[in-house]
Amino acid sequence: MITVIGSINMDLVVTADKAPEAGETVMGTGFRQIPGGKGANQAVAAARSGAETAMVGRVGRDSFGETILRGLQEDLSDTSHIQRMDGVPTGIAAILVDGKGQNRITVVSGANFTFTADDIDAIRPLIARSHVLLLQLEIPLEAVFRALVVAKEEGVCSILNPAPAIELPPAIYGCVDLLTPNESELSILTGLPAGTRPQRIEASRKLLGFGLPSLIVTLGSEGSLSINQTGEIRHVPAYPVDALDTTAAGDCFNGALACQIDRMIAESGQRTGRFVPTPEQLAVAIDFATKASAISVTRAGAQPSLPYRREIDAFDAWYSLHSS
Ligand code: RIB
């Protein structure tokens, strides 16, 4: 079972052939309101990949909150920890998707930023009975840090997707089992360049030096690099496709990855102590997550783009028609 603690947003999505420069006006080609938020997207991705998934999150008592909650109730096995808050609006994200499928996102957090460390203590039993705890950085850092500490104390495997990236206190890395930055997030976390393979390895080693057991650096069309404390480095290739919209591709990857790790823990029968996947197991989980996100970028929007297990399992046939 996976617990996701994180953000829930309504995405206000404008499509345009070209993004405007500062001071410029361009004509758009479409507008949609689509459920999103990194936390909710990752929870839906995990659930559609086949995991029993609980979400802890907050929305306002407004129509966005109502619409999003109804959608999440269809996908997730437990939405009882999603609270509707008085006096704050549901979080929103203003998203511009250009003609190449690239996005620019501005988040206004609203209810997502009302979490405190005490709120995390109140859900300790939920964390304790999870196989995997999945977190991002769209809720207050004090809540994320507390959740990681609780997971460590309870022997629960934790995955932190450090997005959007901020510099983190070094002590947090000793509480995370698996960190999943992309290249620019790795650079922000470490203050080091991460544009080339040697730079990514050096930056990753800085985080491993703080006690992080392993990390996966996602590299978009270049695939991903996994690095762990033993010094083992693996590259898992991407599946190139023509991207229509990359929104939530990273969320899809993280949710699907968490689903595979949840399965491995369930199959291992291990219930106490932290589960550490072998490099081989991690490579299999990364490949599954890479397939899921390749499907997602060929579809528009955040949650509507996230694939179901049957689609990921039928990937080879799908890819023979969609590879670029
Ligand atoms: O990762 C994509 C998500 O980032 C969007 O759904 C948006 O809500 C922001 O949280």
Side-chain angles (χ1 to χ4, degrees):
M1 195 269 257
I2 299 174
T3 294
V4 181
I5 307 177
S7 59
I8 301 173
N9 295 331
M10 181 59 87
D11 291 350
L12 309 176
V13 184
V14 169
T15 47
D17 291 338
K18 168 188 175 302
E21 303 295 331
E24 186 189 12
T25 301
V26 298
M27 302 301 279
T29 53
F31 172 72
R32 284 175 72 193
Q33 296 179 9
I34 304 175
K38 293 188 195 304
N41 297 343
Q42 293 183 20
V44 170
R48 290 190 188 162
S49 299
E52 186 189 340
T53 308
M55 166 102 205
V56 180
R58 292 182 165 179
V59 294
R61 279 193 193 284
D62 46 27
S63 62
F64 283 169
E66 182 136 1
T67 307
I68 296 168
L69 195 50
R70 238 182 288 125
L72 292 176
Q73 282 162 349
E74 282 175 23
D75 279 299
L76 308 183
S77 32
D78 182 356
T79 54
S80 65
H81 300 275
I82 299 176
Q83 290 172 283
R84 303 203 64 183
M85 308 299 287
D86 290 315
V88 274
T90 298
I92 63 104
I95 302 184
L96 179 77
V97 181
D98 69 21
K100 293 183 178 143
Q102 299 298 320
N103 59 59
R104 289 160 183 78
I105 303 180
T106 307
V107 171
V108 181
S109 298
N112 295 308
F113 244 65
T114 62
F115 272 108
T116 65
D118 289 345
D119 296 324
I120 302 299
D121 288 331
I123 53 153
R124 178 182 276 267
L126 175 69
I127 296 174
R129 64 171 189 272
S130 310
H131 286 142
V132 178
L133 178 69
L134 178 57
L135 296 150
Q136 317 74 31
L137 295 175
E138 277 187 341
I139 62 170
L141 182 58
E142 80 162 267
V144 172
F145 203 163
R146 184 69 195 145
L148 290 166
V149 168
V150 170
K152 187 174 180 181
E153 287 169 358
E154 299 290 347
V156 173
C157 174
S158 61
I159 304 175
L160 175 60
N161 173 226
I166 49 168
E167 206 181 315
L168 296 172
I172 208 168
Y173 294 106
C175 301
V176 179
D177 287 307
L178 183 57
L179 190 80
T180 58
N182 64 21
E183 173 186 323
S184 70
E185 289 155 359
L186 179 64
S187 179
I188 293 168
L189 295 175
T190 58
L192 295 171
T196 64
R197 183 182 159 104
Q199 288 173 340
R200 288 165 199 148
I201 293 170
E202 189 186 336
S204 299
R205 287 197 176 127
K206 179 171 178 180
L207 302 182
L208 295 170
F210 292 139
L212 178 70
S214 69
L215 75 165
I216 299 169
V217 185
T218 56
L219 302 167
S221 57
E222 283 182 54
S224 48
L225 206 59
S226 77
I227 308 179
N228 67 16
Q229 281 285 349
T230 66
E232 172 137 4
I233 300 170
R234 282 195 183 214
H235 175 250
V236 179
Y239 293 93
V241 291
D242 288 327
L244 174 70
D245 180 357
T246 57
T247 308
D251 299 331
C252 184
F253 181 93
N254 278 277
L257 180 81
C259 169
Q260 290 307 88
I261 292 179
D262 175 57
R263 285 194 168 206
M264 287 170 190
I265 296 174
E267 280 162 15
S268 76
Q270 183 179 330
R271 269 314 292 148
T272 53
R274 296 165 96 194
F275 176 82
V276 182
T278 64
E280 292 70 31
Q281 284 177 312
L282 205 52
V284 170
I286 293 172
D287 183 60
F288 179 85
T290 305
K291 288 172 173 163
S293 52
I295 296 172
S296 78
V297 301
T298 64
R299 301 169 176 177
Q303 284 163 38
S305 73
L306 304 169
Y308 290 85
R309 180 102 203 171
R310 61 176 182 280
E311 297 176 287
I312 308 168
D313 285 343
F315 183 82
D316 290 349
W318 178 89
Y319 188 60
S320 66
L321 301 172
H322 291 84
S323 66
S324 63

